[in-house]
Amino acid sequence: MLACLVEPDCSSETFDADPDIAGIGVIAAFLISAWSSLLITSVEYSSRHADVFSPYSGYAVRLDDLLRSYIRRFTRPIKKPWTLQSIQPVVLAASDQQLVTGLAIMAAGYIQHCTITQYHFDIVASLGGIAFNVYQPALYALDGYTNRDPQMKLCRTILMTILFGMIIPSIFAVFNVNFLELYGASTQCIWDNLIDSHHDTTSDVLLSFNLIVTVWAYIESMRCLYPTIFRRIPRISNFILTCFEGMLHWIDKKSSQYVQTANSTYQLYTETQSIKAFVTLSYHWAMYTIVTIIVRPIFWVIFILVFTFQEIIRSHFIDIWRAYTVTLALIIEVISIKQDAVSSEVINGSENKWGFGQILPLLLLVLPVMSTWEVF
């Protein structure tokens, strides 16, 4: 961060209202756009049995196929008044609006790093996180539509990468143990002591979880935009599963061999009562016990964990569910911090006053509505 011209205020409990960041119009515009985009994405991806669909990776996702087969039983009688090809411009307009507004509010939070309060930066980070997490699953409904214009695809990739670069530092700031101790304190106070501040287990776990979810969303976005770059990932995962399946077959084969050898050795031992036959019999029964009771369950557990992890990572339904979960969690964060600030009476003024900064985001919602009108 650039140095501040004036020493940042790190001890203020009260602060002035800023409707352009935390106003009801700004938050409403983000939420309407986010939920609209998520609903469109959910409907389109879950109802693709009526449209032509080729997976981005070139491999079918078994978990998605299973879930879609159940959804198909309920949605087959319902006829959509649109096709995937006709609705794609609407999805693109809604998702692009999320991307631009997310960049705008995050840029405002970073530009005002010396003066913006920790309360307002928490709202900025939450709204930016909503925009980032909602944009990625919207690409599933586009089904390669962005590939028609390589220049625009590159532009969206750059903007998505910039937003990702803004989200990551904000996560470190928001989950710092000293963040929001005083709502009115400057966010620069956190940036100045971000590395040297103490940590606790809860904040570290939340920080790690949010970083994993954010990086996951970014990688999935890049995989949708440039599928050929990540096409080796499903091949590697399938190779790992094939190795595990081969190992399980080998274990079953070895256990069968140990049983057969032990049975034949037992007959020899009963006839000769030799010590050598007894030792051989004991060895084969011990190996059979180890393979069947210890080795086989361990490999089955590992195989199930690897298979489940692969299906979760590759599943688009899981991605959409993740977007819903993250969006809902961030909305709860925004609502709770606003209610807490109002009940604590630490805000000077009202953030519900309507002005240019609140009306403009709501007016931008007209753009996807116009695109929808053009489609129909």
Side-chain angles (χ1 to χ4, degrees):
M1 289 291 179
L2 298 175
C4 299
L5 299 177
V6 181
E7 188 70 18
D9 184 3
C10 299
S11 60
S12 179
E13 296 184 2
T14 61
F15 55 92
D16 294 331
D18 191 349
D20 292 341
I21 288 181
I24 188 173
V26 177
I27 296 175
F30 267 89
L31 299 189
I32 293 172
S33 179
W35 284 111
S36 299
S37 180
L38 279 177
L39 289 174
I40 293 174
T41 302
S42 303
V43 171
E44 277 307 310
Y45 187 71
S46 60
S47 63
R48 276 199 172 148
H49 57 270
D51 300 305
V52 178
F53 170 60
S54 300
Y56 294 103
S57 61
Y59 293 89
V61 183
R62 284 168 285 192
L63 178 59
D64 285 13
D65 292 340
L66 177 63
L67 294 175
R68 195 180 286 109
S69 66
Y70 288 109
I71 295 174
R72 187 180 307 170
R73 299 177 184 179
F74 301 99
T75 60
R76 184 175 292 277
I78 303 174
K79 300 297 182 180
K80 295 187 302 182
W82 63 79
T83 62
L84 176 62
Q85 288 73 20
S86 64
I87 201 68
Q88 283 176 335
V90 179
V91 178
L92 188 62
S95 59
D96 285 347
Q97 181 174 332
Q98 283 286 308
L99 184 60
V100 172
T101 52
L103 282 168
I105 198 163
M106 290 299 298
Y110 281 109
I111 290 173
Q112 304 177 58
H113 63 95
C114 293
T115 57
I116 190 171
T117 65
Q118 295 179 22
Y119 162 83
H120 287 117
F121 188 81
D122 187 55
I123 294 178
V124 165
S126 298
L127 295 179
I130 291 174
F132 178 80
N133 282 279
V134 167
Y135 184 78
Q136 177 256 321
L139 296 173
Y140 295 145
L142 295 174
D143 191 24
Y145 181 78
T146 54
N147 294 329
R148 299 181 182 181
D149 192 339
Q151 288 80 12
M152 290 304 298
K153 183 174 71 170
L154 178 61
C155 179
R156 293 184 179 94
T157 302
I158 294 173
L159 294 178
M160 189 69 177
T161 303
I162 294 174
L163 182 58
F164 173 73
M166 291 180 174
I167 293 293
I168 292 296
S170 71
I171 293 175
F172 281 97
V174 168
F175 289 97
N176 186 278
V177 292
N178 300 320
F179 189 73
L180 286 182
E181 287 185 349
L182 296 173
Y183 282 5
S186 171
T187 308
Q188 185 62 35
C189 306
I190 299 296
W191 296 122
D192 290 339
N193 302 297
L194 189 62
I195 298 178
D196 299 332
S197 60
H198 67 280
H199 301 272
D200 60 27
T201 304
T202 303
S203 62
D204 287 344
V205 170
L206 292 174
L207 172 64
S208 301
F209 177 77
N210 279 269
L211 288 175
I212 291 172
V213 170
T214 304
V215 173
W216 179 10
Y218 178 74
I219 293 176
E220 285 298 314
S221 299
M222 295 301 104
R223 189 164 70 93
C224 291
L225 291 169
Y226 296 96
T228 55
I229 298 177
F230 297 92
R231 63 185 177 184
R232 294 185 181 273
I233 294 179
R235 295 179 182 177
I236 294 173
S237 61
N238 286 339
F239 173 75
I240 294 174
L241 287 179
T242 302
C243 291
F244 270 102
E245 291 174 355
M247 184 61 68
L248 290 172
H249 287 307
W250 180 84
I251 290 173
D252 291 336
K253 180 180 178 182
K254 294 298 291 184
S255 62
S256 177
Q257 290 176 354
Y258 285 132
V259 168
Q260 293 176 359
T261 306
N263 290 333
S264 61
T265 306
Y266 178 75
Q267 294 178 357
L268 178 64
Y269 171 72
T270 55
E271 295 173 357
T272 63
Q273 296 292 320
S274 66
I275 298 177
K276 181 180 179 180
F278 176 76
V279 172
T280 304
L281 176 64
S282 301
Y283 169 77
H284 285 289
W285 274 116
M287 292 303 298
Y288 172 77
T289 304
I290 292 173
V291 169
T292 56
I293 297 179
I294 299 176
V295 178
R296 180 187 289 167
I298 289 175
F299 268 89
W300 268 109
V301 170
I302 297 175
F303 173 77
I304 292 172
L305 291 176
V306 172
F307 177 79
T308 304
F309 178 76
Q310 174 188 269
E311 290 299 299
I312 290 174
I313 290 297
R314 292 170 56 182
S315 172
H316 296 162
F317 271 118
I318 296 295
D319 265 343
I320 295 173
W321 172 80
R322 175 192 51 76
Y324 272 101
T325 305
V326 173
T327 301
L328 184 59
L330 293 175
I331 290 173
I332 293 173
E333 170 66 18
V334 171
I335 294 175
S336 62
I337 192 176
K338 283 183 67 66
Q339 290 179 343
D340 189 50
V342 171
S343 61
S344 302
E345 298 181 351
V346 294
I347 303 180
N348 299 322
S350 174
E351 292 186 328
N352 295 327
K353 294 181 179 179
W354 290 88
F356 176 78
Q358 296 201 67
I359 295 175
L360 181 60
L362 289 174
L363 289 178
L364 289 176
L365 295 176
V366 176
L367 296 179
V369 174
M370 292 174 63
S371 300
T372 306
W373 180 262
E374 289 180 359
V375 168
F376 292 100

